[in-house]
Amino acid sequence: MNDSVISSVSKLILSSDEVIQNYLTNYSIKLPNVFFLALTFCVSFVYLWRKQLLNYPPGPISLPFIGNLDFFKSKSYIRIANLKEIYGDIFSLKAGKWDVVVVCSKEGIIEGLTDPDNNFDGRPDFLAFHNLFMGNRQLGISTADLDLKTQVKKEYIIQSLISHWNPEPGQGQLSYSIEKLIVKEILSLMCFFINEEGAFDPAECFKFAHLHIMMSLLFEDAYDVDDPITHEIYDCLENRKDAMNVKLYNYFPILKTIYKQKISQLEERNALLTRYHRILLNQHKDTYNPTELRDFVDQLLIFIETGNDRELFDSDDMDSLILELAGCGFSSVPALLTWLMGYMAVFPDIQTKMQKEMDQVVGRDRFPTLADQPFLPYTMAVIFEVQRNVTLFPFLHPHRAIKNCEFLGYNIPKNTVMLFSVWSLHHDKKLWKNPSKFDPCRFLDSSGRLTIPEHFIPFGLGERRCPGEALVDMEVYLFFTHIMHQLNVRAEGTILNLESDYRLAIQPKPFKIRISSRED
Ligand code: HEM
């Protein structure tokens, strides 16, 4: 045992000794109490000893069986990031049954996410992940470990999005542009906003708009916002979001029985949705024309037909791919759009500056388009600064060490849950001047050109990076510029307090704003 182990253990023994003395003088000895004290002492001793002996990252002593309470409290991403001040840029925690290692430094995060052996590209074996995909988390993308099938599924998403970009009729190309589809959705949303009297919370409207875009991408025009099935899908996606978020159940599988009802409700809804999707999939198979692809489902059919799936996809994979795609971005895209509205209401000067930029570049006679994007650096900087400040996924999605390995001088055992604290990275004083200040200009150089530092990674990095990034960029840019070009967003009353709520993604707590036409 090295010196630091001996000193930590002797400190522990000394402090435990004082506690026992105090206890014995103040209270009578009761057998269960003594037993509990002895157990806590032994668990702490073994924990400390094991950590040092194994050259495991340092960290706070955890409660037996429960782990570190910070993990389960509100704003856990801030509480946990603050632990780096005590334990350094890489530290360990215990959360229920899982050993967790948190990485906070820029170098550590980049190294871990781009590890050439993909040592940290597994996903934890959370029970909820299995419930999302018919009892087998490997059927999903975000829940599966990284293997060839997961990589091919991501390739399919990226390829489908690329062909939406520059649609040209012909083999493997979509016949319409995603820009048009999104703009159609935005125009009907803006009509709704204009007609809304008084202050309101825009969050739900963004959720339905995004859902409708995802469903239209998948199944052309099979769904209408007013269809009862759209509401079924919405409820199912809310259920799936909740399931991803149930920390207690993922970390304490023993609580499975408490969540029994929720789980069976989720499974029923998944099954119902999959049945609907299969009907649409079969209709697509009957009517599909490879030279005129209508949507992502047609694209999936040609992907398989041309062998791009390396013959890895079976019908369960197709079901789960469609199910996952329908819900992609459901918790994040509307949250980001709502945050943008909230920030504009809180910072009217920034809103005005951005509107001036748009008026100069776009004019007042037409709507902004994707082609205008390179000429709107300040507007883009506002979007990026909201993304940095909020950091929707403060730990990305949880990663898992797939084998015992060495990392940043420590030994990381197989199955350790790896949390890459992008929140900490996006608020690091060494990397960002005054990081808590909302300042879009930090994304502009001295000539006003957009500049994106390598430590800005809201979509992650490496093999597990978000495949939907290009879609999100396009969707958020189009929604935001259309709304800001046409409408003014104002706070209800004089002060708007933006508060966050960490549920899967960092959502804004409900708030109300007033929206009016800029022409009024
Ligand atoms: C504001 C919106 C979004 C943000 C901020 C976001 C961010 C992220 C992040 C941080 C990850 C995890 C990366 C990691 O664990 O290292 C991720 C994974 C993923 N995202 Fe997104 N995402 C968004 C929207 C979307 C959309 C619209 C799609 C679909 C078109 C999508 C598809 C996926 C998929 C399939 C994964 C799993 C990738 C994997 O496990 O390898 N995301 N996203």
Side-chain angles (χ1 to χ4, degrees):
M1 250 191 276
N2 62 27
D3 286 352
S4 58
V5 183
I6 295 170
S7 82
S8 311
V9 171
S10 43
K11 268 187 215 151
L12 190 77
I13 292 172
L14 279 176
S15 58
S16 311
D17 202 37
E18 279 164 25
V19 173
I20 293 168
Q21 284 296 334
N22 211 351
Y23 185 87
L24 291 180
T25 45
N26 289 319
Y27 304 97
S28 59
I29 304 172
K30 290 191 186 125
L31 205 58
N33 294 349
V34 173
F35 174 74
F36 183 72
L37 208 66
L39 183 72
T40 310
F41 174 77
C42 290
V43 171
S44 311
F45 177 81
V46 170
Y47 182 70
L48 256 181
W49 177 72
R50 190 178 143 245
K51 251 189 187 177
Q52 300 264 350
L53 200 72
L54 295 179
N55 187 28
Y56 190 60
I61 296 180
S62 312
L63 292 173
F65 313 112
I66 293 171
N68 191 287
L69 282 179
D70 281 338
F71 203 83
F72 302 101
K73 290 184 185 160
S74 68
K75 303 233 161 84
S76 56
Y77 56 98
I78 300 180
R79 292 171 194 273
I80 291 174
N82 287 343
L83 290 174
K84 79 174 177 185
E85 305 302 337
I86 309 171
Y87 301 101
D89 281 333
I90 170 164
F91 54 87
S92 60
L93 296 174
K94 187 93 184 149
K97 69 173 265 196
W98 294 98
D99 288 318
V100 177
V101 163
V102 183
V103 187
C104 297
S105 68
K106 173 181 163 186
E107 293 70 25
I109 291 176
I110 294 178
E111 197 176 318
L113 292 175
T114 56
D115 180 80
D117 297 325
N118 304 117
N119 280 336
F120 306 118
D121 282 339
R123 295 286 188 211
D125 195 33
F126 289 158
L127 278 179
F129 285 3
H130 291 282
N131 299 133
L132 290 172
F133 294 102
M134 300 168 258
N136 177 7
R137 74 175 173 90
Q138 304 296 356
L139 283 171
I141 304 176
S142 51
T143 53
D145 294 323
L146 188 74
D147 59 7
L148 182 61
K149 200 195 267 190
T150 310
Q151 284 167 321
V152 173
K153 284 181 185 172
K154 290 181 77 171
E155 248 170 62
Y156 154 73
I157 297 182
I158 292 167
Q159 270 187 29
S160 304
L161 285 173
I162 290 172
S163 39
H164 264 294
W165 246 237
N166 297 309
E168 289 166 23
Q171 185 87 5
Q173 291 291 339
L174 280 160
S175 53
Y176 63 94
S177 115
I178 190 172
E179 181 173 3
K180 278 194 195 143
L181 188 148
I182 295 175
V183 169
K184 198 171 139 206
E185 198 62 43
I186 296 171
L187 296 181
S188 69
L189 185 77
M190 288 203 305
C191 288
F192 177 82
F193 281 173
I194 288 270
N195 290 325
E196 200 63 13
E197 278 173 20
F200 69 102
D201 183 350
E204 285 290 288
C205 308
F206 287 132
K207 272 193 188 170
F208 272 100
H210 172 75
L211 176 61
H212 197 224
I213 289 171
M214 290 312 288
M215 296 318 284
S216 311
L217 282 177
L218 273 167
F219 299 114
E220 206 189 13
D221 48 10
Y223 286 108
D224 192 78
V225 186
D226 301 323
D227 276 351
I229 180 66
T230 308
H231 292 265
E232 286 279 357
I233 298 169
Y234 181 93
D235 290 344
C236 178
L237 295 179
E238 281 289 352
N239 255 190
R240 292 175 69 81
K241 196 174 90 183
D242 281 353
M244 294 278 271
N245 188 41
V246 189
K247 273 196 184 159
L248 287 180
Y249 162 52
N250 282 332
Y251 290 88
F252 306 98
I254 201 163
L255 300 178
K256 195 174 169 182
T257 39
I258 300 179
Y259 292 97
K260 214 170 161 185
Q261 208 186 345
K262 269 198 162 187
I263 296 166
S264 58
Q265 193 185 32
L266 171 71
E267 284 169 349
E268 272 167 33
R269 286 210 159 116
N270 279 343
L272 177 85
L273 210 56
T274 303
R275 277 201 298 279
Y276 277 117
H277 290 163
R278 274 202 201 139
I279 296 171
L280 293 170
L281 183 63
N282 288 334
Q283 282 171 2
H284 272 65
K285 281 182 186 162
D286 294 340
T287 53
Y288 141 87
N289 170 4
T291 58
E292 200 170 326
L293 303 182
R294 295 158 292 186
D295 46 35
F296 273 37
V297 170
D298 274 357
Q299 210 124 20
L300 182 59
L301 295 174
I302 201 166
F303 193 79
I304 296 172
E305 195 177 282
T306 50
N308 280 332
D309 71 331
R310 325 298 205 262
E311 299 188 355
L312 291 167
F313 294 2
D314 60 21
S315 62
D316 281 349
D317 288 301
M318 287 171 82
D319 285 345
S320 39
L321 191 51
I322 294 174
L323 194 62
E324 187 160 14
L325 264 172
C328 269
F330 181 69
S331 58
S332 47
V333 175
L336 180 53
L337 291 169
T338 313
W339 277 118
L340 280 160
M341 295 295 106
Y343 272 86
M344 289 307 96
V346 173
F347 296 98
D349 295 350
I350 292 179
Q351 180 177 170
T352 309
K353 190 169 168 187
M354 207 176 63
Q355 285 169 329
K356 268 193 191 145
E357 182 186 65
M358 275 192 269
D359 290 349
Q360 268 169 15
V361 174
V362 180
R364 302 294 306 146
D365 304 334
R366 65 173 178 89
F367 292 124
T369 65
L370 273 186
D372 297 317
Q373 196 171 6
F375 309 103
L376 296 170
Y378 187 73
T379 307
M380 292 309 294
V382 172
I383 297 176
F384 290 153
E385 177 61 351
V386 170
Q387 276 182 293
R388 180 200 69 84
N389 223 9
V390 171
T391 306
L392 288 172
F393 292 102
F395 296 117
L396 305 175
H397 293 352
H399 287 228
R400 178 179 66 87
I402 53 165
K403 58 178 190 226
N404 294 335
C405 51
E406 212 192 293
F407 179 57
L408 304 176
Y410 292 104
N411 290 332
I412 309 291
K414 182 177 172 180
N415 286 335
T416 304
V417 175
M418 301 295 294
L419 296 183
F420 295 97
S421 176
V422 173
W423 194 89
S424 174
L425 183 66
H426 285 175
H427 293 85
D428 190 333
K429 289 192 192 95
K430 292 192 275 301
L431 302 170
W432 310 90
K433 198 173 150 201
N434 204 353
S436 53
K437 186 175 172 210
F438 180 69
D439 176 15
C441 291
R442 65 174 89 247
F443 283 95
L444 299 174
D445 66 13
S446 51
S447 344
R449 277 190 299 258
L450 195 65
T451 153
I452 306 168
E454 63 167 352
H455 45 268
F456 175 63
I457 50 165
F459 296 95
L461 272 184
E463 285 288 342
R464 305 266 17 181
R465 185 183 184 133
C466 173
E469 180 175 350
L471 172 64
V472 176
D473 282 350
M474 180 194 256
E475 200 180 330
V476 170
Y477 162 82
L478 288 170
F479 267 89
F480 189 49
T481 50
H482 273 71
I483 293 173
M484 285 297 129
H485 184 255
Q486 293 296 314
L487 309 172
N488 282 321
V489 175
R490 297 280 174 255
E492 160 82 328
T494 44
I495 298 176
L496 173 60
N497 260 337
L498 286 180
E499 285 196 63
S500 57
D501 188 10
Y502 181 27
R503 277 194 270 157
L504 187 58
I506 299 186
Q507 318 271 344
K509 281 196 178 159
F511 62 78
K512 287 189 173 174
I513 46 172
R514 282 182 183 275
I515 292 188
S516 56
S517 168
R518 281 184 68 203
E519 312 302 338
D520 291 346

